[in-house]
Amino acid sequence: MSLSERVSTLTPSSTLAITAKAKELKAQGFDVVGLGAGEPDFNTPEHIIEAAIKSMHEGQTKYTPAEGILPLREAICQKLLEDNQLKYTPKQIIVCSGAKHALYNIFQVIINPGDEVIIPTPYWVSYPEQVKLAGGHPVYVEGKEENGFKVTPEQIQQAVTSKTKAIIINSPSNPTGSIYDKAELEALAEVCLKNDLFILSDEIYEKLIYGDAEHVSIASLSSELYERTFVVNGMSKPYSMTGWRIGYAAGPEKYIRAMVDLSSHSTSNPTSIAQYGALAALVGTQEPLEMMKKEFAQRRDVTLALLNELPGVSCLEPKGAFYLFPNVSEAVKNSSYSTTDEWVAALLEEEKVALVPGSGFGAPDNIRISYATSLDVLKEGVKRIERFLKK
Ligand code: PMP
Ligand code: GLU
């Protein structure tokens, strides 16, 4: 008896693994500084919680359509129109159990065995595994640190083969916080059109942008792009709703319908009461989001400055999301550890600082620090890293 070939090379999500490990150590009584989790430390805003409770009392505790309740899909259409200048009908929207699940469904409906998907590095940990689970091959294109961790159209063109089916664009990016501006997206779009690629635009950090950078949805640049793009977004990050598991995809109706059929045989609908919470999040006040954003901006600035003072550590300023992605190659070279993974494991062991090594994101010289935690915790984390570096 053996595992299926499909899962035989599957690796666990390093972001979730480190978060679970930090929680486990905390439960054992260790004073852990958790900088791993990519989830806001704020509780879900009260009006969202109230809406979910109300829906329960009103009996919204049954199956919903597999694609999600109509009022939520309508609210998503409205959001996409107002924020992104994208016109969709509810039939082009699927609500899923998180943006992760939306992405999973997209790969399942567009990938045939052997198809290639271009994944710019550094990438979010789940993209390659999801591509492989659909029978595809991830093709990595390096977003060089000196280019703000962004890829160029020339690099993408070079990576295209007759088997290339799609490209993933994640702006703002997890883990780097980099953002593609309109001109950069237009240039990338040209390559996608020329080579007839699907575009998966993961926009889950859209609302978390600091300074004067702007979010542009690639699908909004032309009708040809709109027809080949899946816009993926979700509630987890902007509304601090990670545990509620609500995300969505918008795209060409034919593919969205296939995703709905797939969901109808796997998860059925995403949790009914969470959908009512998500509806309140979209149509209700956006004030809690603004408050969170202000906090994140301050944490980013303070932690970035502190990190750049550490010997052997250099960190670019992230423009969005809530991660810092410092290069620690010098620090590792000057230590007794031979890889960043070992260095990160020792940091957890000796100083009880939990963060994610860059290897899981395809960038082994870097580490990811989530600043979705309090300033005090962040300062303590950097203090411990400094102590670790001096050992
Ligand atoms: N995309 C990116 C880039 C992410 O960082 C995450 C992590 N939450 C997701 C998608 C999935 O989010 P969720 O499933 O919680 O909606
Ligand atoms: N996306 C978040 C992170 O990168 C949450 C964990 C996950 O789903 O990967 O940390």
Side-chain angles (χ1 to χ4, degrees):
M1 300 237 280
S2 55
L3 288 171
S4 69
E5 280 174 27
R6 199 177 312 112
V7 298
S8 62
T9 61
L10 190 64
T11 53
S13 159
S14 58
T15 49
L16 293 181
I18 198 85
T19 308
K21 175 86 184 164
K23 282 186 180 157
E24 187 190 310
L25 286 171
K26 259 185 205 160
Q28 287 169 13
F30 289 104
D31 172 23
V32 180
V33 173
L35 307 177
E39 63 179 347
D41 54 327
F42 305 100
N43 200 10
T44 304
E46 201 50 39
H47 70 283
I48 300 175
I49 294 175
E50 286 302 328
I53 293 172
K54 184 161 168 272
S55 78
M56 259 188 275
H57 288 308
E58 288 175 351
Q60 308 292 2
T61 51
K62 313 283 186 200
Y63 293 131
T64 77
E67 60 263 57
I69 54 171
L70 183 60
L72 177 55
R73 284 181 291 127
E74 285 172 341
I76 291 168
C77 289
Q78 191 61 27
K79 179 255 171 260
L80 290 166
L81 185 64
E82 280 170 18
D83 291 352
N84 312 106
Q85 298 76 53
L86 288 167
K87 208 166 170 192
Y88 289 104
T89 66
K91 281 205 158 121
Q92 293 175 277
I93 308 291
I94 179 171
V95 183
C96 293
S97 303
K100 189 181 276 186
H101 179 222
L103 287 160
Y104 180 87
N105 278 350
I106 296 170
F107 290 124
Q108 291 292 324
V109 304
I110 64 167
I111 300 296
N112 283 315
D115 283 349
E116 294 175 357
V117 177
I118 295 180
I119 305 181
T121 72
Y123 50 76
W124 177 50
V125 293
S126 292
Y127 298 143
E129 298 305 323
Q130 292 200 349
V131 168
K132 287 189 255 172
L133 283 169
H137 293 305
V139 173
Y140 303 108
V141 175
E142 187 188 357
K144 294 194 183 356
E145 193 161 343
E146 58 267 29
N147 194 36
F149 293 113
K150 290 190 268 192
V151 293
T152 63
E154 295 75 30
Q155 284 179 291
I156 300 299
Q157 184 58 56
Q158 266 174 17
V160 171
T161 72
S162 59
K163 291 186 176 157
T164 312
K165 195 65 167 278
I167 179 171
I168 299 172
I169 295 175
N170 175 215
S171 175
S173 150
N174 174 7
T176 66
S178 60
I179 294 175
Y180 287 89
D181 65 23
K182 190 170 175 216
E184 289 167 330
L185 288 176
E186 277 167 346
L188 288 179
E190 220 172 283
V191 183
C192 298
L193 288 172
K194 185 172 154 207
N195 297 287
D196 197 21
L197 307 184
F198 281 110
I199 302 170
L200 274 68
S201 183
D202 181 346
E203 306 183 8
I204 196 157
Y205 295 99
E206 165 198 19
K207 300 278 185 190
L208 301 174
I209 290 183
Y210 318 103
D212 48 15
E214 258 178 60
H215 174 74
V216 177
S217 181
I218 191 165
S220 69
L221 295 178
S222 73
S223 56
E224 293 111 302
L225 289 165
Y226 172 87
E227 280 159 21
R228 63 182 59 247
T229 301
F230 294 91
V231 177
V232 176
N233 210 323
M235 304 296 138
S236 288
K237 317 293 169 170
Y239 302 108
S240 196
M241 291 175 69
T242 46
W244 296 63
R245 311 307 305 129
I246 298 289
Y248 59 88
E253 189 173 331
K254 171 174 145 191
Y255 299 96
I256 297 291
R257 295 333 291 166
M259 289 163 69
V260 173
D261 292 344
L262 186 61
S263 276
S264 81
H265 289 297
S266 53
T267 53
S268 300
N269 59 277
T271 308
S272 61
I273 54 181
Q275 291 188 60
Y276 284 90
L279 177 58
L282 287 177
V283 301
T285 172
Q286 302 297 301
E287 251 169 53
L289 165 63
E290 290 309 314
M291 179 280 292
M292 247 179 13
K293 218 171 97 169
K294 261 194 210 133
E295 274 285 324
F296 288 148
Q298 193 204 4
R299 294 169 183 185
R300 176 194 72 153
D301 293 347
V302 172
T303 317
L304 177 68
L306 290 173
L307 282 172
N308 276 323
E309 282 168 16
L310 298 179
V313 177
S314 69
C315 190
L316 292 184
E317 179 187 73
K319 308 289 181 205
F322 38 56
Y323 308 104
L324 292 147
F325 203 56
N327 187 312
V328 293
S329 54
E330 278 303 308
V332 174
K333 214 188 288 168
N334 297 336
S335 76
S336 54
Y337 305 101
S338 46
T339 63
T340 309
D341 283 19
E342 283 178 21
W343 188 91
V344 166
L347 180 66
L348 180 60
E349 184 66 32
E350 292 180 24
E351 291 291 346
K352 302 289 178 288
V353 176
L355 45 79
V356 193
S359 54
F361 306 94
D365 286 341
N366 297 66
I367 56 174
R368 194 191 76 174
I369 291 176
S370 163
Y371 54 89
T373 189
S374 77
L375 207 45
D376 284 347
V377 171
L378 285 160
K379 284 181 184 162
E380 175 64 21
V382 179
K383 205 161 91 188
R384 293 189 194 187
I385 295 173
E386 187 173 14
R387 199 160 61 201
F388 179 69
L389 286 169
K390 284 185 180 151
K391 273 184 191 166

